[in-house]
Amino acid sequence: MGHTIKDKQKLLNRVRRIRGQVDAIERALEEEKGCMDVLQQITSCRGAMNGLLAVVLEDHIRTHLVDAEHGGHEHEGHGDAREQLIDVVKSYFK
């Protein structure tokens, strides 16, 4: 996925922020914080994960589906990009 290499630093920064949010959930549980505090941390983390998924998925669609249609070929070694997209969307809803 060339688009992840292009935006590598931005994606890594997002992952590091998510890691910090997961650590905050762990600390809240260890410190026996109230349910609302823990739930707020979890929903923040989930939102950040959804944001990361949206960025990578959008780039994937633009790079592997739109460009593949215009170029008339699939990227080698990646299989059918449409099927990959369907698999990602299905796994998200599991």
Side-chain angles (χ1 to χ4, degrees):
M1 285 170 71
H3 56 92
T4 56
I5 294 170
K6 179 183 70 163
D7 295 326
K8 179 180 174 180
Q9 194 57 52
K10 288 181 182 178
L11 295 173
L12 287 172
N13 289 342
R14 281 180 174 262
V15 169
R16 289 177 182 128
R17 284 192 297 273
I18 291 167
R19 183 179 302 126
Q21 290 174 315
V22 171
D23 290 344
I25 294 169
E26 183 178 7
R27 280 191 307 275
L29 291 170
E30 285 176 351
E31 296 170 4
E32 299 178 3
K33 298 281 185 175
C35 293
M36 290 306 296
D37 291 334
V38 174
L39 288 169
Q40 186 176 24
Q41 292 289 343
I42 292 169
T43 57
S44 294
C45 187
R46 182 178 181 192
M49 287 294 291
N50 286 343
L52 176 63
L53 175 64
V55 167
V56 174
L57 190 54
E58 179 181 349
D59 286 347
H60 181 76
I61 290 167
R62 291 185 190 283
T63 302
H64 299 290
L65 295 179
V66 175
D67 290 349
E69 279 185 13
H70 293 289
H73 64 278
E74 296 291 333
H75 293 273
E76 291 183 31
H78 295 292
D80 182 13
R82 290 167 194 85
E83 291 302 317
Q84 286 182 11
L85 178 59
I86 290 167
D87 290 343
V88 167
V89 171
K90 283 182 178 176
S91 70
Y92 177 75
F93 289 109
K94 283 185 180 179

